[in-house]
Amino acid sequence: MTMRVLVTGAAGFLGSHLTDRLLSEGHSVVGVDNLSTGDAENIAHLANQERFSFEQRDICKPFDPGPVDYVFNMASPASPPEYLRLGIETLRVGSIGTENTLQIAARHGAGFLHASTSECYGDALEHPQTENYWGNVNPVGPRSVYDEAKRFSEAMVMAYHRSRGVNTHLVRIFNTYGPRLHPSDGRVISNFMMQALRGQPLTIYGEGSQTRSFCYVDDLIEGILRLSRSSEPMPVNIGNPDEFTILECAQAVLEVTGSKSALTFESLPQDDPARRCPDISKARALLGWEPRITLKEGLRKSLDFFKSKAAVHA
Ligand code: UDP
């Protein structure tokens, strides 16, 4: 059955890939985005797609897209430099914006999936992180604008599930990368790829011993779609459990790009989590999902995108 789907944050990195995938399955997509961190270029290729419409709007103001069967709430600044710059906007979209989109789902009897985050675990004291871990978040630190907004969103989604009977889903997304990851949004993969391709030193924050686990975007979208079709309302981790130190990540980028860039060491941002790795047992058991693409394969698949950006912004 094909659906009419609302995707918020449709011009963002994940929102645009999700939109492409939904369209390829025959669904119609209403995309909204206020373009505060999203990029119209990410959906430019859909200009002549009849089943896609786009509205530039802020979801913090109530709106009604008309009857929809499903709502994917992907809207939020997501990279640390961007949500630090847009702190109040990040808190608003993760509270008022989330409730506005839940009301749309409740009104139209639509399914609802909210893009949550591994940041709910904060600087985790349990490793790897299972969905049952409640997290170690600094409520007043610089990252709190993002972490607490996402934690509030999860509470709001559960309240609409429990009190209004909305068919909701919560995906806790771990670090994800691929084409359309904004080349200048400050994330580690985009920074390293752009620096490597320009022959600039790769900026390692701290000693580079902190870990992350990187999921290629196609794997992530597959996991999100499977969760959206499940009957699971509680949070599910979707990410790649292969854990790398930031130094290993830099090494992989140098290898894939063939770059001779040096490494340079800079100070570690405040509250930067030391280790992050998803336990994906729940996704494996519930959704039969696991990532397929290794870090080096994913970096190779992303190479053309970053090359084109490095050429434009050289
Ligand atoms: N990082 C780094 N160099 C960079 C950008 C990021 O060493 O140029 C580190 C950062 O300190 C963090 C990790 O890479 O430990 C991942 O950072 P990112 O901003 O991509 O996402 P986060 O997981 O912190 O949300």
Side-chain angles (χ1 to χ4, degrees):
M1 189 197 72
T2 58
M3 301 185 294
R4 185 164 187 268
V5 181
L6 172 66
V7 176
T8 73
F13 168 50
L14 295 180
S16 66
H17 281 282
L18 176 65
T19 296
D20 283 345
R21 177 71 191 268
L22 290 165
L23 290 168
S24 78
E25 292 183 356
H27 304 297
S28 299
V29 176
V30 180
V32 303
D33 201 302
N34 71 351
L35 301 180
S36 69
T37 59
D39 188 345
E41 217 178 286
N42 289 338
I43 46 171
H45 61 288
L46 301 176
N48 297 320
Q49 164 59 264
E50 282 175 5
R51 283 181 285 108
F52 179 69
S53 63
F54 178 74
E55 258 187 86
Q56 184 174 344
R57 65 160 63 248
D58 183 351
I59 63 166
C60 293
K61 296 201 183 88
F63 69 107
D64 192 337
V68 285
D69 305 295
Y70 212 99
V71 177
F72 286 93
N73 190 34
M74 312 299 288
S76 176
S79 89
E82 292 291 74
Y83 62 66
L84 296 179
R85 181 174 70 85
L86 298 167
I88 293 168
E89 291 84 347
T90 302
L91 280 159
R92 287 174 58 88
V93 76
S95 51
I96 302 163
T98 298
E99 183 169 24
N100 284 340
T101 52
L102 280 161
Q103 283 181 347
I104 292 169
R107 190 178 313 134
H108 296 293
F112 187 93
L113 180 139
H114 177 72
S116 190
T117 168
S118 57
E119 281 290 316
C120 289
Y121 302 123
D123 194 357
L125 302 176
E126 277 184 19
H127 203 77
Q129 292 86 52
T130 70
E131 292 85 349
N132 295 328
Y133 178 52
W134 290 358
N136 178 38
V137 170
N138 177 351
V140 292
R143 292 175 95 103
S144 64
V145 293
Y146 185 68
D147 300 6
E148 297 294 15
K150 290 289 187 179
R151 287 167 67 98
F152 179 90
S153 281
E154 289 200 358
M156 182 70 92
V157 169
M158 290 311 297
Y160 269 75
H161 175 71
R162 293 187 175 118
S163 306
R164 302 276 166 87
V166 179
N167 174 23
T168 60
H169 306 281
L170 287 167
V171 56
R172 290 201 180 133
I173 298 172
F174 284 66
N175 296 63
T176 305
Y177 68 100
R180 301 184 197 155
L181 188 61
H182 202 283
S184 58
D185 85 352
R187 287 175 166 266
V188 68
I189 299 275
S190 42
N191 275 7
F192 286 180
M193 289 294 269
M194 296 297 282
Q195 290 161 345
L197 291 169
R198 289 172 174 162
Q200 298 166 346
L202 272 51
T203 50
I204 313 276
Y205 300 163
E207 291 170 9
S209 55
Q210 70 273 37
T211 69
R212 293 293 186 272
S213 32
F214 300 100
C215 190
Y216 186 68
V217 62
D218 292 356
D219 280 334
L220 187 98
I221 297 297
E222 176 65 29
I224 285 183
L225 283 174
R226 288 192 192 195
L227 177 60
S228 74
R229 290 166 191 151
S230 78
S231 55
E232 177 62 49
M234 298 304 281
V236 178
N237 290 339
I238 297 285
N240 192 321
D242 284 346
E243 188 179 358
F244 296 88
T245 65
I246 293 306
L247 270 180
E248 288 168 338
C249 171
Q251 234 38 69
V253 167
L254 290 178
E255 194 182 314
V256 166
T257 54
S259 167
K260 300 269 182 298
S261 284
L263 305 181
T264 168
F265 292 82
E266 297 186 1
S267 59
L268 190 66
Q270 193 188 330
D271 295 336
D272 196 279
R275 296 183 75 186
R276 192 187 282 150
C277 179
D279 181 320
I280 59 164
S281 316
K282 186 171 176 183
R284 278 200 177 103
L286 189 76
L287 312 173
W289 175 87
E290 61 182 1
R292 302 189 176 283
I293 298 167
T294 64
L295 178 59
K296 278 189 195 153
E297 280 168 1
L299 290 174
R300 270 183 223 112
K301 283 170 172 282
S302 312
L303 196 53
D304 282 349
F305 168 79
F306 286 109
K307 273 187 179 163
S308 71
K309 294 294 174 187
V312 173
H313 300 281

